[in-house]
Amino acid sequence: MICKKCGREYEDDMPKCLWCDAPNESLSSQDGDDASTADSEAQEEAYRESLKKLVDPELERAFDDNVRRGKSAISWTKFQIVLNILFFFVGVKTLGVIIEYYKNYTAASPAVSSEASTASAIILIYSAFIAIPCFVFIGKNWLWVYHAHKEQSKFTETFFAPWGAVICYYIPVVNYFVFKALLENQGNTLKLLGIKAKTESNKLLTWFFIFNIATPIFNYLTFKSLNTPILFISTILWIILTVLGIKLIKAATANEQAVHDQLENNRINKKVEEIIAQREAV
């Protein structure tokens, strides 16, 4: 080590110059870095400890409300499954008649048969019947995923903004990443709060991803050919995909419930401590 003050050489590990007692700047900077690292680690540890005792009634209510939204979304999703199964049977009975009519249609004889008219009317009436439940189902899921990402962003950095999650929620394949990011961030939050996280199996997300690819393909084939076997396969795939989605919502909602319970316990414990402190003061 060359001393910057006197220009003489001394050992690198010595705290100061042998000749002029000037401090060894390289060792000083290392000590400063070590102290800075220790301070940052201490601050991070203190932050984690403060989170474990976090009391925020507003945030507690927000998580409780979204747990209710998640349960409501699941209920409406199950109802939508029933409607789609009924739609399959309605389609089997009516689409064949409509297809047969269009196959035999000619400009010379444009008259619509009574069977084709009845089949078309049934399709239209049933579509109108399921329209409102379908919109409610979509809205309930959107509302839940929006607030799920919104509340989660208060603890950890999220890849999807709340409105981004809403936009991507019904886009095939992309919604896989919406769920994946949400569950991963929720797991990190549970760890920060000192809650034992129930890790969701990657197999569930993997199957959700696979059916996210297969279902749109068969939906396209169904609309293209209106073939009953393909319609049946498409319906089965959609049901499986939706059931997997329900399981993912349940997993995310369970995490939200765990955070709510922790915040509730913290609030109660703080209240108890305040009461004890007041009694001891008297």
Side-chain angles (χ1 to χ4, degrees):
M1 181 73 183
I2 304 297
C3 178
K4 292 183 179 180
K5 185 176 181 181
C6 65
R8 296 186 180 185
E9 186 176 359
Y10 63 94
E11 295 296 330
D12 293 342
D13 57 351
M14 297 189 70
K16 59 184 179 179
C17 177
L18 285 172
W19 316 105
C20 65
D21 293 335
N24 188 335
E25 294 182 359
S26 63
L27 290 180
S28 299
S29 62
Q30 289 177 5
D31 293 340
D33 292 340
D34 292 341
S36 176
T37 302
D39 289 342
S40 62
E41 289 178 353
Q43 290 175 359
E44 184 177 351
E45 185 64 27
Y47 172 70
R48 289 181 178 178
E49 288 300 321
S50 67
L51 278 181
K52 292 178 182 179
K53 298 180 180 180
L54 176 66
V55 176
D56 190 332
E58 185 177 346
L59 190 60
E60 179 187 334
R61 285 193 299 271
F63 273 96
D64 186 47
D65 290 342
N66 210 44
V67 168
R68 298 175 191 275
R69 293 188 191 100
K71 292 178 179 178
S72 178
I74 290 172
S75 298
W76 279 95
T77 303
K78 290 178 179 178
F79 183 52
Q80 190 64 30
I81 291 175
V82 174
L83 292 179
N84 274 31
I85 293 173
L86 292 175
F87 184 77
F88 166 75
F89 289 108
V90 171
V92 168
K93 291 291 185 180
T94 57
L95 290 178
V97 176
I98 296 173
I99 293 170
E100 190 65 26
Y101 164 73
Y102 279 105
K103 282 182 178 179
N104 299 326
Y105 175 83
T106 59
S109 57
V112 181
S113 65
S114 60
E115 292 85 357
S117 298
T118 303
S120 300
I122 291 173
I123 287 288
L124 290 174
I125 292 171
Y126 188 78
S127 298
F129 170 73
I130 67 173
I132 293 177
C134 182
F135 284 125
V136 174
F137 149 73
I138 292 172
K140 290 284 185 179
N141 278 268
W142 269 344
L143 195 62
W144 169 77
V145 76
Y146 172 84
H147 285 279
H149 281 267
K150 180 182 177 182
E151 307 310 332
Q152 183 55 45
S153 64
K154 296 176 182 177
F155 288 99
T156 59
E157 185 177 353
T158 57
F159 180 79
F160 288 94
W163 279 111
V166 169
I167 293 170
C168 297
Y169 190 73
Y170 287 110
I171 300 177
V173 180
V174 181
N175 55 7
Y176 159 81
F177 295 100
V178 173
F179 277 112
K180 187 174 185 293
L182 178 61
L183 290 171
E184 287 179 353
N185 290 331
Q186 286 181 337
N188 294 333
T189 298
L190 293 177
K191 290 178 183 177
L192 285 173
L193 294 174
I195 304 171
K196 188 176 180 180
K198 294 180 180 179
T199 55
E200 188 61 32
S201 173
N202 288 329
K203 288 184 178 180
L204 182 58
L205 282 167
T206 302
W207 282 113
F208 184 75
F209 180 77
I210 292 171
F211 280 92
N212 239 315
I213 296 174
T215 303
I217 293 173
F218 276 88
N219 285 343
Y220 170 75
L221 294 175
T222 299
F223 285 111
K224 186 177 180 181
S225 63
L226 294 177
N227 184 280
T228 300
I230 296 178
L231 175 61
F232 175 76
I233 295 172
S234 177
T235 304
I236 294 298
L237 289 175
W238 183 87
I239 291 172
I240 296 173
L241 176 65
T242 307
V243 170
L244 291 171
I246 289 174
K247 289 182 177 293
L248 290 172
I249 294 174
K250 282 184 176 179
T253 304
N255 291 337
E256 291 177 318
Q257 183 67 58
V259 174
H260 166 266
D261 293 345
Q262 178 71 12
L263 294 173
E264 184 180 38
N265 290 336
N266 291 347
R267 176 174 54 81
I268 294 172
N269 291 337
K270 184 179 180 181
K271 189 67 176 177
V272 171
E273 290 174 359
E274 290 175 352
I275 293 172
I276 293 173
Q278 289 175 359
R279 289 181 178 178
E280 289 178 350
V282 176

